[in-house]
Amino acid sequence: MSAKVFAVAALLAGTAMVLGSLSSAPAQETAVLFRNVRIFDGKGSALSAPSNVLVRNGVIAKISTADLTITAEVIAGGGRVLMPGLIDAHWHAMLVRPTPAAALGDVGYNNLLAASEATATLMRGFTTVRDMGGPSFGLKRAIDEDLVAGPRIYPSGAIITITSGHGDFRQLSDLPRTIGGMLSRMEQVGGSMVADSPDEVRVRAREQLMQGASQVKLTAGGGVASPFSPLDVSTFTEPELRAAVEAADNWGTYVATHAYTPVAIQRSIAAGVRCIEHGHLMDEASAKLIAEKGIWLSTQPFLDAAAASALGPAEQDKMRQVVTGTDRVYALAKKYGIKTAFGTDVLFSKALADRQGSMLAALTRWYTPAEALAMATSANAELLSLSGLRNPYPGKLGVVEEGALADLLLVDGNPLDNIALVEDPAKNFVVIMKGGKIYKNSLAH
């Protein structure tokens, strides 16, 4: 080896050693102490005695009624309520703000639009969302890498649907479909994928898992937003649904299905699906089956047709049909003790997204404030844990307890007495923390 080559090699080796020592150096420890707070732990029906909560390196390290003397950034709680960050179990991070047509347009713009909405979502106190359809993998990565402020995202990837099913946004001019031919625009952008056989379902499910899906989403029946999808229809066959369940099970995770009607619900359960989304048109027999099998019901408090305001007259009429089932689905969930998750399913409307907290408060039509808040925290976190080793955020969410991830809200007021506080997060959430990092602290001013 010549002297020149040896010198270059030595320089590169030395540089590598320096970089290696930098990368292996321990991260700087961070500590935040919430002093004099009363805790809603995400499970109970009462607040704790005045307490102190120490957060260290993104985890709740210590909770004590005694004073904690430690070097840390101190947040003087002044007797305010400390509670877990909120979780939305049915969200569409990429589809909140664009119109249906724009969602199939410029990918770069839509990602920037979704990033802006992600920050707004976090500032409403929702520190975690389960994304139930859409190309959110890149947004999730940007949030995880701290390039964008936003909630934790449990992504499903593309919605898997059938020809003419809920999630098929093609035009009639796109037909007939060429089997094995060109993908439609909605498939190209990763919004939804058409699958019309068990083999096609298996491929599409595995593709979402390959990209990092924490769960897989299929549409087992008709829906509101899609133009060629009547509410009453059942779509996938049981073998097709089972193909997705098998693919997900092989990856240690689960399938959730969009299903309003008894046929769609019961067929999903027969195929091994572990979570039903919506369920507003279910009957008594379906509710009993869900309860007996221990299936999750992820439903939404739809009380008016505003959720379809950006859609056409036919879609708005379908939304009104769904709204008529809202009281019944919650009554059945309570009657049979169904494991119930809270979500909002906001699509194509920033104005509706701004009402995310109001939809949570609306649960008090059927539940106590404590029950509603527990549903949006610890119960939703239990649903998220179904993803097993595919969980992108190992650790305990949805609770305020030692060892849990430090996703926390400091509330100016007591939401157990006045849940309407969550409707105005800009005013009432004075501190918003995710993973031990403070994203908002109005007390500092």
Side-chain angles (χ1 to χ4, degrees):
M1 180 184 294
S2 70
K4 184 175 181 180
V5 171
F6 180 83
V8 171
L11 177 62
L12 291 173
T15 302
M17 289 178 63
V18 171
L19 291 174
S21 65
L22 288 175
S23 63
S24 62
Q28 185 176 1
E29 183 176 279
T30 60
V32 177
L33 177 63
F34 289 91
R35 181 169 285 157
N36 185 21
V37 295
R38 300 189 69 193
I39 299 168
F40 168 63
D41 64 3
K43 295 179 177 179
S45 58
L47 301 179
S48 73
S51 303
N52 303 297
V53 177
L54 174 64
V55 173
R56 180 178 282 127
N57 296 333
V59 174
I60 299 172
K62 182 74 173 177
I63 300 174
S64 176
T65 55
D67 190 30
L68 296 176
T69 303
I70 189 167
T71 301
E73 178 181 353
V74 175
I75 296 176
R80 295 178 179 87
V81 172
L82 188 71
M83 63 173 285
L86 300 171
I87 301 171
D88 193 320
H90 194 119
W91 191 245
H92 295 277
M94 298 299 297
L95 302 176
V96 171
R97 292 194 182 180
T99 64
L104 302 178
D106 189 297
V107 172
Y109 175 78
N110 285 336
N111 274 283
L112 292 172
L113 196 63
S116 178
E117 173 53 42
T119 301
T121 303
L122 180 62
M123 290 301 101
R124 290 192 292 269
F126 286 85
T127 53
T128 301
V129 297
R130 187 174 66 130
D131 191 284
M132 296 313 292
S136 63
F137 296 117
L139 175 63
K140 176 190 177 299
R141 177 180 175 183
I143 291 170
D144 291 347
E145 293 179 1
D146 213 18
L147 302 177
V148 173
R152 303 176 190 270
I153 295 178
Y154 282 71
S156 300
I159 299 166
I160 302 175
T161 186
I162 66 162
T163 295
S164 79
H166 180 59
D168 186 350
F169 286 97
R170 294 174 299 167
Q171 300 303 306
L172 293 176
S173 56
D174 293 325
L175 304 182
R177 177 189 180 201
T178 303
I179 306 300
M182 293 288 292
L183 295 175
S184 65
R185 179 59 178 169
M186 68 178 189
E187 293 171 309
Q188 291 171 1
V189 301
S192 53
M193 305 296 293
V194 174
D196 287 314
S197 70
D199 285 344
E200 288 188 345
V201 169
R202 192 173 290 109
V203 169
R204 296 312 186 201
R206 288 171 175 169
E207 286 173 345
Q208 308 320 306
L209 293 164
M210 182 178 180
Q211 294 175 83
S214 50
Q215 64 283 321
V216 176
K217 162 81 174 293
L218 278 76
T219 60
V224 170
S226 301
F228 306 111
S229 175
L231 277 179
D232 61 289
V233 303
S234 52
T235 53
F236 286 106
T237 64
E238 188 177 320
E240 289 169 335
L241 291 169
R242 191 176 295 115
V245 169
E246 290 171 353
D249 187 63
N250 287 341
W251 277 61
T253 186
Y254 70 100
V255 170
T257 53
H258 164 108
Y260 283 115
T261 65
V263 172
I265 292 168
Q266 293 178 29
R267 186 178 294 172
S268 294
I269 294 173
V273 168
R274 298 180 68 186
C275 184
I276 300 296
E277 305 295 318
H278 311 308
H280 290 71
L281 305 182
M282 74 167 63
D283 59 10
E284 195 100 10
S286 300
K288 287 181 182 178
L289 182 64
I290 290 172
E292 289 169 1
K293 297 291 186 180
I295 306 300
W296 275 90
L297 173 65
S298 170
T299 193
Q300 304 79 36
F302 294 141
L303 294 173
D304 57 50
S309 58
L311 304 174
E315 287 73 35
Q316 292 185 43
D317 181 64
K318 288 190 286 184
M319 188 67 206
R320 282 188 284 271
Q321 294 178 54
V322 169
V323 168
T324 63
T326 299
D327 276 321
R328 180 169 176 79
V329 73
Y330 281 111
L332 289 171
K334 293 190 71 176
K335 179 177 179 178
Y336 291 102
I338 293 171
K339 295 185 291 187
T340 307
F342 162 78
T344 58
D345 193 22
V346 172
L347 290 168
F348 313 129
S349 175
K350 180 182 182 300
L352 276 178
D354 290 340
R355 293 174 51 197
Q356 197 174 9
S358 298
M359 292 185 71
L360 171 56
L363 288 179
T364 53
R365 180 165 173 158
W366 309 280
Y367 300 93
T368 68
E371 289 171 335
L373 291 169
M375 192 183 296
T377 52
S378 62
N380 276 359
E382 186 181 346
L383 170 58
L384 295 177
S385 71
L386 288 185
S387 58
L389 293 178
R390 303 289 77 76
N391 186 339
Y393 308 104
K396 185 169 286 190
L397 290 170
V399 292
V400 181
E401 62 182 50
E402 292 181 3
L405 298 177
D407 292 4
L408 300 167
L409 307 176
L410 188 62
V411 186
D412 195 6
N414 182 359
L416 298 186
D417 289 338
N418 180 18
I419 198 170
L421 292 168
V422 304
E423 297 179 9
D424 190 356
K427 176 183 177 183
N428 300 317
F429 294 167
V430 294
V431 176
I432 297 174
M433 170 183 281
K434 189 192 80 173
K437 180 176 179 177
I438 297 171
Y439 287 86
K440 175 186 176 181
N441 183 4
S442 60
L443 300 179
H445 303 295

